[in-house]
Amino acid sequence: MADRIATITRNTNESEITLSVNLDGTGIGSFDTPVPFLNHMLDQIARHGLINLDVKAKGDTDVDDHHTVEDLGITLGMAVAEAIGDKKGIARYGHAYVPLDEALSRAVLDFSGRPGLIMNADFVRPRVGDFDVDLTREFFQGFVNHGLFTLHIDNLRGSNAHHQVETIFKAFGRAFRMAASPDDRMSGLMPSTKGSL
């Protein structure tokens, strides 16, 4: 399997982002965005997805964090789509349950080539520090739209919003790692009866 790396620069009137990803990394990264809690969540994706991720972002956070968070999801999706390539030889599907104390979340992912997000999460409060928890959905919606995969996320329980959001990002990282991993038995084969994804 060729090196699965990509670097994307995406600049708009609302944000300026440069992002590099190595899907066969060791879970390290650097995160320089104006949204501190998102830096922490991106670190969860890298660590639990075993991808190397370097992110530099600026955005109109004087308006609010929405554009920056959504655009980071979009840019990460673009980078993953480029890095994953034609998807031959990958597992394609991944799933994970992750607890954090009282909170529990599940993520199920399919590198289907069809963007779709189903997310069920009733957060117990609207913010974690300065982070609007509604932006969790916006991040993943941008990610799946441009990464071209189907993602189901369920926060099954939790009484602490920080724990709820963190279990979602950790579960996603683990499910992503499983789905993107090479499958030796699929060596060079497309994991679809269609012949393409």
Side-chain angles (χ1 to χ4, degrees), residues 91-190:
R92 177 179 170 178
Y93 300 101
H95 64 276
Y97 287 80
V98 169
L100 174 54
D101 298 342
E102 87 303 339
L104 176 66
S105 291
R106 171 180 61 213
V108 183
L109 188 150
D110 174 13
F111 276 109
S112 61
R114 298 181 303 279
L117 174 66
I118 305 297
M119 181 172 161
N120 295 297
D122 294 321
F123 297 112
V124 296
R125 67 179 195 270
R127 303 189 85 77
V128 175
D130 293 330
F131 184 80
D132 179 351
V133 296
D134 287 344
L135 297 181
T136 304
R137 178 183 300 276
E138 299 306 320
F139 173 83
F140 283 109
Q141 189 68 66
F143 197 169
V144 303
N145 285 351
H146 293 267
L148 302 177
F149 56 88
T150 301
L151 176 62
H152 290 251
I153 291 173
D154 296 284
N155 173 244
L156 302 171
R157 62 183 61 95
S159 58
N160 178 306
H162 185 137
H163 292 174
Q164 289 177 289
V165 176
E166 188 164 334
T167 57
I168 286 170
F169 276 85
K170 286 178 173 177
F172 170 76
R174 294 246 161 196
F176 182 91
R177 174 174 150 193
M178 180 186 290
S181 289
D183 183 337
D184 292 340
R185 294 178 66 194
M186 290 294 295
S187 180
L189 300 176
M190 181 62 66

Side-chain angles (χ1 to χ4, degrees), residues 58-92:
K58 292 189 285 187
D60 59 356
T61 52
D62 56 315
V63 176
D64 74 5
D65 293 343
H66 185 285
H67 298 144
T68 303
V69 173
E70 180 181 30
D71 289 353
L72 276 162
I74 289 169
T75 308
L76 183 55
M78 294 167 67
V80 165
E82 182 176 316
I84 201 84
D86 63 11
K87 304 175 192 164
K88 287 182 179 175
I90 66 166
R92 177 179 170 178

Side-chain angles (χ1 to χ4, degrees), residues 18-45:
T18 298
L19 185 151
S20 296
V21 66
N22 178 350
L23 300 186
D24 301 303
T26 57
I28 60 172
S30 64
F31 311 98
D32 180 10
T33 86
V35 186
F37 186 71
L38 184 63
N39 292 340
H40 180 42
M41 294 302 101
L42 291 170
D43 194 17
Q44 302 306 324
I45 292 175

